[in-house]
Amino acid sequence: MARIVLVHGIAQQQRSADDLEHEWLPSLAGGIRTAGHPDLADRLWPIQPADRWARMAFYGNLFLTPDQQGHTIGLTDAQSEVADEIALDWLTNALDSTRIRDAGTARQELDAMHHDPTDAQGLPGTTARALAALDRIPWFGNAGFHLAGRHALLGQAVRYLTEPDIRKAAIAAVRAHLDDDTRVVLAHSLGSVVAYEALRNRSQPLPLLITIGSPLGLPSVIRHLQQPPTYPAGVHRWINLADRDDIIAARPHLTAIFDKARPPAATFDSTYTVDNGAEPHRATFYLTKTTISHAIAEALTTDSNNL
């Protein structure tokens, strides 16, 4: 099993676990080396076939439909309502952007939607209007997929939250890598929701959970969790990081929502705001941060018997 379990986010349906490991691990190892832990960095990258410390929990294939590799199925009316909720949460997040123009774009569209719920240009519903507004935010609009593609990617989040079979299989993909040797679970974007639900009722000690670019605190996500939000009982330390301009992520301070029933010795660090530059949601940019590097180094030397 793995000492470090990695959990990816949306839009990875054409990838594989091995492919993503080769994308994530150089950045993670580089950040750890820069933080002053070169021996640990060498254990992570290049990958040591005989002793692989980190493995990717892969669930992207769940969003490939039979005989239509890469295409997502249409959403039901109920699922479309969830898509509306998430898209509005993203647009609302943009109000807090450090970039005045992006915040202004969000405010203008939210005001327009409030005063005129019908779309004069014929966009089909709240989701399309919100995504069209977000498309005018440079990093989101240049994220590598067109507007229709963003509908499909939003659909992956919706399907995880509303389709029990997909949810069960994604959670199983994480749990398949967990055992008594696991020291760290590091999850990005939708993967942080999957990882949280995989750990929610797990009693075995885990030194460290790190969530990055996480939508866990979005109202639309909280409403559709399997169980009411609370602190995962077996986690000794939970760190949540978000770039303030990462509109897909909830605001970094999750404690008001998830800091319930936390064991007395456990710590919850959910106030970190990082700067990922021009691509605030990019996983590999999060992975280089020293907060992550130092925490992983500490977790890998923690005696789980003392947790």
PDB file of all heavy atoms in Angstrom, residues 148-178:
ATOM      1  N   ALA A 148     -18.870  24.518 -23.562  1.00  0.00           N
ATOM      2  CA  ALA A 148     -19.579  23.234 -23.492  1.00  0.00           C
ATOM      3  C   ALA A 148     -18.800  22.239 -22.651  1.00  0.00           C
ATOM      4  O   ALA A 148     -19.372  21.443 -21.909  1.00  0.00           O
ATOM      5  CB  ALA A 148     -19.805  22.688 -24.903  1.00  0.00           C
ATOM      6  N   GLY A 149     -17.478  22.281 -22.742  1.00  0.00           N
ATOM      7  CA  GLY A 149     -16.653  21.395 -21.931  1.00  0.00           C
ATOM      8  C   GLY A 149     -16.790  21.689 -20.456  1.00  0.00           C
ATOM      9  O   GLY A 149     -16.776  20.783 -19.622  1.00  0.00           O
ATOM     10  N   ARG A 150     -16.955  22.952 -20.104  1.00  0.00           N
ATOM     11  CA  ARG A 150     -17.135  23.300 -18.702  1.00  0.00           C
ATOM     12  C   ARG A 150     -18.459  22.767 -18.169  1.00  0.00           C
ATOM     13  O   ARG A 150     -18.562  22.388 -17.012  1.00  0.00           O
ATOM     14  CB  ARG A 150     -17.021  24.815 -18.516  1.00  0.00           C
ATOM     15  CG  ARG A 150     -15.564  25.266 -18.490  1.00  0.00           C
ATOM     16  CD  ARG A 150     -15.456  26.716 -18.067  1.00  0.00           C
ATOM     17  NE  ARG A 150     -15.667  27.633 -19.169  1.00  0.00           N
ATOM     18  CZ  ARG A 150     -14.776  27.891 -20.120  1.00  0.00           C
ATOM     19  NH1 ARG A 150     -13.619  27.263 -20.121  1.00  0.00           N
ATOM     20  NH2 ARG A 150     -15.019  28.750 -21.075  1.00  0.00           N
ATOM     21  N   HIS A 151     -19.477  22.744 -19.025  1.00  0.00           N
ATOM     22  CA  HIS A 151     -20.727  22.102 -18.630  1.00  0.00           C
ATOM     23  C   HIS A 151     -20.482  20.627 -18.292  1.00  0.00           C
ATOM     24  O   HIS A 151     -20.987  20.116 -17.294  1.00  0.00           O
ATOM     25  CB  HIS A 151     -21.750  22.189 -19.774  1.00  0.00           C
ATOM     26  CG  HIS A 151     -22.523  23.463 -19.797  1.00  0.00           C
ATOM     27  ND1 HIS A 151     -23.568  23.711 -18.952  1.00  0.00           N
ATOM     28  CD2 HIS A 151     -22.403  24.575 -20.567  1.00  0.00           C
ATOM     29  CE1 HIS A 151     -24.077  24.905 -19.200  1.00  0.00           C
ATOM     30  NE2 HIS A 151     -23.377  25.449 -20.173  1.00  0.00           N
ATOM     31  N   ALA A 152     -19.685  19.956 -19.124  1.00  0.00           N
ATOM     32  CA  ALA A 152     -19.412  18.536 -18.902  1.00  0.00           C
ATOM     33  C   ALA A 152     -18.623  18.325 -17.616  1.00  0.00           C
ATOM     34  O   ALA A 152     -18.886  17.383 -16.855  1.00  0.00           O
ATOM     35  CB  ALA A 152     -18.639  17.960 -20.092  1.00  0.00           C
ATOM     36  N   LEU A 153     -17.664  19.210 -17.338  1.00  0.00           N
ATOM     37  CA  LEU A 153     -16.847  19.053 -16.144  1.00  0.00           C
ATOM     38  C   LEU A 153     -17.665  19.339 -14.890  1.00  0.00           C
ATOM     39  O   LEU A 153     -17.541  18.644 -13.883  1.00  0.00           O
ATOM     40  CB  LEU A 153     -15.643  19.985 -16.220  1.00  0.00           C
ATOM     41  CG  LEU A 153     -14.700  19.700 -17.391  1.00  0.00           C
ATOM     42  CD1 LEU A 153     -13.575  20.715 -17.422  1.00  0.00           C
ATOM     43  CD2 LEU A 153     -14.158  18.296 -17.330  1.00  0.00           C
ATOM     44  N   LEU A 154     -18.508  20.352 -14.946  1.00  0.00           N
ATOM     45  CA  LEU A 154     -19.430  20.607 -13.840  1.00  0.00           C
ATOM     46  C   LEU A 154     -20.327  19.386 -13.638  1.00  0.00           C
ATOM     47  O   LEU A 154     -20.625  18.998 -12.504  1.00  0.00           O
ATOM     48  CB  LEU A 154     -20.270  21.845 -14.145  1.00  0.00           C
ATOM     49  CG  LEU A 154     -21.334  22.245 -13.126  1.00  0.00           C
ATOM     50  CD1 LEU A 154     -20.702  22.553 -11.780  1.00  0.00           C
ATOM     51  CD2 LEU A 154     -22.124  23.444 -13.639  1.00  0.00           C
ATOM     52  N   GLY A 155     -20.680  18.749 -14.741  1.00  0.00           N
ATOM     53  CA  GLY A 155     -21.505  17.559 -14.656  1.00  0.00           C
ATOM     54  C   GLY A 155     -20.846  16.428 -13.895  1.00  0.00           C
ATOM     55  O   GLY A 155     -21.522  15.632 -13.230  1.00  0.00           O
ATOM     56  N   GLN A 156     -19.507  16.337 -13.934  1.00  0.00           N
ATOM     57  CA  GLN A 156     -18.819  15.293 -13.175  1.00  0.00           C
ATOM     58  C   GLN A 156     -19.007  15.500 -11.678  1.00  0.00           C
ATOM     59  O   GLN A 156     -19.251  14.542 -10.929  1.00  0.00           O
ATOM     60  CB  GLN A 156     -17.333  15.265 -13.536  1.00  0.00           C
ATOM     61  CG  GLN A 156     -17.066  14.770 -14.939  1.00  0.00           C
ATOM     62  CD  GLN A 156     -15.588  14.620 -15.230  1.00  0.00           C
ATOM     63  OE1 GLN A 156     -14.736  14.716 -14.336  1.00  0.00           O
ATOM     64  NE2 GLN A 156     -15.259  14.391 -16.493  1.00  0.00           N
ATOM     65  N   ALA A 157     -18.887  16.737 -11.229  1.00  0.00           N
ATOM     66  CA  ALA A 157     -19.117  17.026  -9.814  1.00  0.00           C
ATOM     67  C   ALA A 157     -20.553  16.686  -9.431  1.00  0.00           C
ATOM     68  O   ALA A 157     -20.812  16.087  -8.377  1.00  0.00           O
ATOM     69  CB  ALA A 157     -18.814  18.494  -9.516  1.00  0.00           C
ATOM     70  N   VAL A 158     -21.490  17.057 -10.295  1.00  0.00           N
ATOM     71  CA  VAL A 158     -22.899  16.782 -10.022  1.00  0.00           C
ATOM     72  C   VAL A 158     -23.150  15.274  -9.963  1.00  0.00           C
ATOM     73  O   VAL A 158     -23.852  14.777  -9.065  1.00  0.00           O
ATOM     74  CB  VAL A 158     -23.791  17.431 -11.104  1.00  0.00           C
ATOM     75  CG1 VAL A 158     -25.243  16.980 -10.949  1.00  0.00           C
ATOM     76  CG2 VAL A 158     -23.696  18.948 -11.027  1.00  0.00           C
ATOM     77  N   ARG A 159     -22.584  14.544 -10.895  1.00  0.00           N
ATOM     78  CA  ARG A 159     -22.820  13.099 -10.925  1.00  0.00           C
ATOM     79  C   ARG A 159     -22.239  12.421  -9.690  1.00  0.00           C
ATOM     80  O   ARG A 159     -22.848  11.493  -9.150  1.00  0.00           O
ATOM     81  CB  ARG A 159     -22.244  12.504 -12.210  1.00  0.00           C
ATOM     82  CG  ARG A 159     -22.980  12.954 -13.470  1.00  0.00           C
ATOM     83  CD  ARG A 159     -22.471  12.221 -14.684  1.00  0.00           C
ATOM     84  NE  ARG A 159     -22.764  10.791 -14.577  1.00  0.00           N
ATOM     85  CZ  ARG A 159     -22.174   9.864 -15.342  1.00  0.00           C
ATOM     86  NH1 ARG A 159     -21.261  10.222 -16.230  1.00  0.00           N
ATOM     87  NH2 ARG A 159     -22.492   8.588 -15.193  1.00  0.00           N
ATOM     88  N   TYR A 160     -21.062  12.856  -9.241  1.00  0.00           N
ATOM     89  CA  TYR A 160     -20.520  12.273  -8.010  1.00  0.00           C
ATOM     90  C   TYR A 160     -21.479  12.502  -6.841  1.00  0.00           C
ATOM     91  O   TYR A 160     -21.733  11.606  -6.038  1.00  0.00           O
ATOM     92  CB  TYR A 160     -19.150  12.862  -7.677  1.00  0.00           C
ATOM     93  CG  TYR A 160     -18.669  12.389  -6.317  1.00  0.00           C
ATOM     94  CD1 TYR A 160     -18.059  11.150  -6.168  1.00  0.00           C
ATOM     95  CD2 TYR A 160     -18.892  13.162  -5.171  1.00  0.00           C
ATOM     96  CE1 TYR A 160     -17.674  10.687  -4.913  1.00  0.00           C
ATOM     97  CE2 TYR A 160     -18.512  12.706  -3.915  1.00  0.00           C
ATOM     98  CZ  TYR A 160     -17.902  11.467  -3.796  1.00  0.00           C
ATOM     99  OH  TYR A 160     -17.539  11.005  -2.550  1.00  0.00           O
ATOM    100  N   LEU A 161     -22.023  13.705  -6.751  1.00  0.00           N
ATOM    101  CA  LEU A 161     -22.873  14.059  -5.610  1.00  0.00           C
ATOM    102  C   LEU A 161     -24.264  13.446  -5.679  1.00  0.00           C
ATOM    103  O   LEU A 161     -24.951  13.384  -4.652  1.00  0.00           O
ATOM    104  CB  LEU A 161     -22.992  15.585  -5.512  1.00  0.00           C
ATOM    105  CG  LEU A 161     -21.712  16.343  -5.159  1.00  0.00           C
ATOM    106  CD1 LEU A 161     -21.932  17.842  -5.308  1.00  0.00           C
ATOM    107  CD2 LEU A 161     -21.237  16.006  -3.752  1.00  0.00           C
ATOM    108  N   THR A 162     -24.681  13.004  -6.852  1.00  0.00           N
ATOM    109  CA  THR A 162     -26.074  12.565  -6.999  1.00  0.00           C
ATOM    110  C   THR A 162     -26.229  11.117  -7.456  1.00  0.00           C
ATOM    111  O   THR A 162     -27.349  10.594  -7.416  1.00  0.00           O
ATOM    112  CB  THR A 162     -26.829  13.464  -8.009  1.00  0.00           C
ATOM    113  OG1 THR A 162     -26.175  13.398  -9.285  1.00  0.00           O
ATOM    114  CG2 THR A 162     -26.867  14.906  -7.521  1.00  0.00           C
ATOM    115  N   GLU A 163     -25.164  10.457  -7.899  1.00  0.00           N
ATOM    116  CA  GLU A 163     -25.278   9.084  -8.390  1.00  0.00           C
ATOM    117  C   GLU A 163     -24.543   8.140  -7.438  1.00  0.00           C
ATOM    118  O   GLU A 163     -23.315   8.113  -7.394  1.00  0.00           O
ATOM    119  CB  GLU A 163     -24.728   8.970  -9.807  1.00  0.00           C
ATOM    120  CG  GLU A 163     -25.527   9.777 -10.815  1.00  0.00           C
ATOM    121  CD  GLU A 163     -25.061   9.575 -12.250  1.00  0.00           C
ATOM    122  OE1 GLU A 163     -24.440   8.530 -12.538  1.00  0.00           O
ATOM    123  OE2 GLU A 163     -25.316  10.474 -13.079  1.00  0.00           O
ATOM    124  N   PRO A 164     -25.280   7.352  -6.664  1.00  0.00           N
ATOM    125  CA  PRO A 164     -24.666   6.506  -5.630  1.00  0.00           C
ATOM    126  C   PRO A 164     -23.608   5.540  -6.162  1.00  0.00           C
ATOM    127  O   PRO A 164     -22.604   5.295  -5.489  1.00  0.00           O
ATOM    128  CB  PRO A 164     -25.870   5.752  -5.045  1.00  0.00           C
ATOM    129  CG  PRO A 164     -27.035   6.644  -5.302  1.00  0.00           C
ATOM    130  CD  PRO A 164     -26.762   7.302  -6.614  1.00  0.00           C
ATOM    131  N   ASP A 165     -23.790   4.997  -7.348  1.00  0.00           N
ATOM    132  CA  ASP A 165     -22.820   4.035  -7.868  1.00  0.00           C
ATOM    133  C   ASP A 165     -21.475   4.694  -8.149  1.00  0.00           C
ATOM    134  O   ASP A 165     -20.419   4.117  -7.864  1.00  0.00           O
ATOM    135  CB  ASP A 165     -23.356   3.373  -9.141  1.00  0.00           C
ATOM    136  CG  ASP A 165     -24.487   2.384  -8.866  1.00  0.00           C
ATOM    137  OD1 ASP A 165     -24.676   2.026  -7.679  1.00  0.00           O
ATOM    138  OD2 ASP A 165     -25.180   2.001  -9.819  1.00  0.00           O
ATOM    139  N   ILE A 166     -21.507   5.893  -8.724  1.00  0.00           N
ATOM    140  CA  ILE A 166     -20.258   6.614  -8.979  1.00  0.00           C
ATOM    141  C   ILE A 166     -19.595   6.993  -7.664  1.00  0.00           C
ATOM    142  O   ILE A 166     -18.382   6.834  -7.482  1.00  0.00           O
ATOM    143  CB  ILE A 166     -20.528   7.858  -9.850  1.00  0.00           C
ATOM    144  CG1 ILE A 166     -20.780   7.429 -11.290  1.00  0.00           C
ATOM    145  CG2 ILE A 166     -19.367   8.850  -9.770  1.00  0.00           C
ATOM    146  CD1 ILE A 166     -21.027   8.567 -12.246  1.00  0.00           C
ATOM    147  N   ARG A 167     -20.385   7.475  -6.723  1.00  0.00           N
ATOM    148  CA  ARG A 167     -19.840   7.862  -5.426  1.00  0.00           C
ATOM    149  C   ARG A 167     -19.183   6.667  -4.730  1.00  0.00           C
ATOM    150  O   ARG A 167     -18.054   6.762  -4.224  1.00  0.00           O
ATOM    151  CB  ARG A 167     -20.958   8.435  -4.564  1.00  0.00           C
ATOM    152  CG  ARG A 167     -20.502   9.020  -3.250  1.00  0.00           C
ATOM    153  CD  ARG A 167     -21.689   9.593  -2.495  1.00  0.00           C
ATOM    154  NE  ARG A 167     -21.420  10.899  -1.974  1.00  0.00           N
ATOM    155  CZ  ARG A 167     -22.302  11.890  -1.941  1.00  0.00           C
ATOM    156  NH1 ARG A 167     -23.510  11.721  -2.435  1.00  0.00           N
ATOM    157  NH2 ARG A 167     -21.980  13.050  -1.415  1.00  0.00           N
ATOM    158  N   LYS A 168     -19.874   5.547  -4.709  1.00  0.00           N
ATOM    159  CA  LYS A 168     -19.361   4.351  -4.048  1.00  0.00           C
ATOM    160  C   LYS A 168     -18.061   3.887  -4.694  1.00  0.00           C
ATOM    161  O   LYS A 168     -17.100   3.534  -3.993  1.00  0.00           O
ATOM    162  CB  LYS A 168     -20.412   3.245  -4.111  1.00  0.00           C
ATOM    163  CG  LYS A 168     -19.996   1.946  -3.433  1.00  0.00           C
ATOM    164  CD  LYS A 168     -21.112   0.910  -3.519  1.00  0.00           C
ATOM    165  CE  LYS A 168     -20.697  -0.406  -2.867  1.00  0.00           C
ATOM    166  NZ  LYS A 168     -21.801  -1.412  -2.959  1.00  0.00           N
ATOM    167  N   ALA A 169     -17.992   3.889  -6.018  1.00  0.00           N
ATOM    168  CA  ALA A 169     -16.798   3.427  -6.713  1.00  0.00           C
ATOM    169  C   ALA A 169     -15.623   4.385  -6.510  1.00  0.00           C
ATOM    170  O   ALA A 169     -14.472   3.949  -6.365  1.00  0.00           O
ATOM    171  CB  ALA A 169     -17.096   3.266  -8.201  1.00  0.00           C
ATOM    172  N   ALA A 170     -15.884   5.687  -6.500  1.00  0.00           N
ATOM    173  CA  ALA A 170     -14.808   6.658  -6.284  1.00  0.00           C
ATOM    174  C   ALA A 170     -14.234   6.529  -4.879  1.00  0.00           C
ATOM    175  O   ALA A 170     -13.003   6.542  -4.683  1.00  0.00           O
ATOM    176  CB  ALA A 170     -15.326   8.070  -6.520  1.00  0.00           C
ATOM    177  N   ILE A 171     -15.103   6.403  -3.886  1.00  0.00           N
ATOM    178  CA  ILE A 171     -14.653   6.224  -2.508  1.00  0.00           C
ATOM    179  C   ILE A 171     -13.856   4.929  -2.374  1.00  0.00           C
ATOM    180  O   ILE A 171     -12.810   4.878  -1.702  1.00  0.00           O
ATOM    181  CB  ILE A 171     -15.857   6.248  -1.549  1.00  0.00           C
ATOM    182  CG1 ILE A 171     -16.434   7.666  -1.472  1.00  0.00           C
ATOM    183  CG2 ILE A 171     -15.461   5.763  -0.161  1.00  0.00           C
ATOM    184  CD1 ILE A 171     -17.741   7.757  -0.709  1.00  0.00           C
ATOM    185  N   ALA A 172     -14.315   3.870  -3.044  1.00  0.00           N
ATOM    186  CA  ALA A 172     -13.595   2.594  -2.998  1.00  0.00           C
ATOM    187  C   ALA A 172     -12.204   2.717  -3.600  1.00  0.00           C
ATOM    188  O   ALA A 172     -11.261   2.056  -3.135  1.00  0.00           O
ATOM    189  CB  ALA A 172     -14.402   1.519  -3.732  1.00  0.00           C
ATOM    190  N   ALA A 173     -12.056   3.559  -4.626  1.00  0.00           N
ATOM    191  CA  ALA A 173     -10.742   3.744  -5.244  1.00  0.00           C
ATOM    192  C   ALA A 173      -9.751   4.351  -4.249  1.00  0.00           C
ATOM    193  O   ALA A 173      -8.560   4.029  -4.273  1.00  0.00           O
ATOM    194  CB  ALA A 173     -10.868   4.631  -6.481  1.00  0.00           C
ATOM    195  N   VAL A 174     -10.233   5.235  -3.373  1.00  0.00           N
ATOM    196  CA  VAL A 174      -9.367   5.810  -2.332  1.00  0.00           C
ATOM    197  C   VAL A 174      -9.065   4.764  -1.266  1.00  0.00           C
ATOM    198  O   VAL A 174      -7.905   4.539  -0.894  1.00  0.00           O
ATOM    199  CB  VAL A 174     -10.032   7.042  -1.697  1.00  0.00           C
ATOM    200  CG1 VAL A 174      -9.188   7.559  -0.529  1.00  0.00           C
ATOM    201  CG2 VAL A 174     -10.216   8.141  -2.737  1.00  0.00           C
ATOM    202  N   ARG A 175     -10.091   4.112  -0.784  1.00  0.00           N
ATOM    203  CA  ARG A 175      -9.905   3.142   0.304  1.00  0.00           C
ATOM    204  C   ARG A 175      -9.023   1.966  -0.100  1.00  0.00           C
ATOM    205  O   ARG A 175      -8.377   1.347   0.750  1.00  0.00           O
ATOM    206  CB  ARG A 175     -11.267   2.647   0.782  1.00  0.00           C
ATOM    207  CG  ARG A 175     -12.047   3.711   1.550  1.00  0.00           C
ATOM    208  CD  ARG A 175     -13.407   3.214   1.987  1.00  0.00           C
ATOM    209  NE  ARG A 175     -14.092   4.210   2.831  1.00  0.00           N
ATOM    210  CZ  ARG A 175     -15.380   4.177   3.129  1.00  0.00           C
ATOM    211  NH1 ARG A 175     -16.137   3.186   2.649  1.00  0.00           N
ATOM    212  NH2 ARG A 175     -15.916   5.101   3.892  1.00  0.00           N
ATOM    213  N   ALA A 176      -8.969   1.677  -1.398  1.00  0.00           N
ATOM    214  CA  ALA A 176      -8.142   0.561  -1.867  1.00  0.00           C
ATOM    215  C   ALA A 176      -6.659   0.797  -1.601  1.00  0.00           C
ATOM    216  O   ALA A 176      -5.879  -0.164  -1.533  1.00  0.00           O
ATOM    217  CB  ALA A 176      -8.372   0.340  -3.366  1.00  0.00           C
ATOM    218  N   HIS A 177      -6.262   2.055  -1.448  1.00  0.00           N
ATOM    219  CA  HIS A 177      -4.849   2.373  -1.200  1.00  0.00           C
ATOM    220  C   HIS A 177      -4.548   2.626   0.276  1.00  0.00           C
ATOM    221  O   HIS A 177      -3.390   2.854   0.641  1.00  0.00           O
ATOM    222  CB  HIS A 177      -4.444   3.614  -2.004  1.00  0.00           C
ATOM    223  CG  HIS A 177      -4.343   3.367  -3.478  1.00  0.00           C
ATOM    224  ND1 HIS A 177      -3.374   2.566  -4.042  1.00  0.00           N
ATOM    225  CD2 HIS A 177      -5.097   3.824  -4.507  1.00  0.00           C
ATOM    226  CE1 HIS A 177      -3.524   2.539  -5.355  1.00  0.00           C
ATOM    227  NE2 HIS A 177      -4.572   3.291  -5.661  1.00  0.00           N
ATOM    228  N   LEU A 178      -5.567   2.614   1.123  1.00  0.00           N
ATOM    229  CA  LEU A 178      -5.367   2.935   2.532  1.00  0.00           C
ATOM    230  C   LEU A 178      -5.062   1.676   3.340  1.00  0.00           C
ATOM    231  O   LEU A 178      -5.747   0.658   3.188  1.00  0.00           O
ATOM    232  CB  LEU A 178      -6.621   3.601   3.112  1.00  0.00           C
ATOM    233  CG  LEU A 178      -7.058   4.930   2.505  1.00  0.00           C
ATOM    234  CD1 LEU A 178      -8.399   5.349   3.091  1.00  0.00           C
ATOM    235  CD2 LEU A 178      -6.015   6.009   2.733  1.00  0.00           C
TER     236      LEU A 178
END
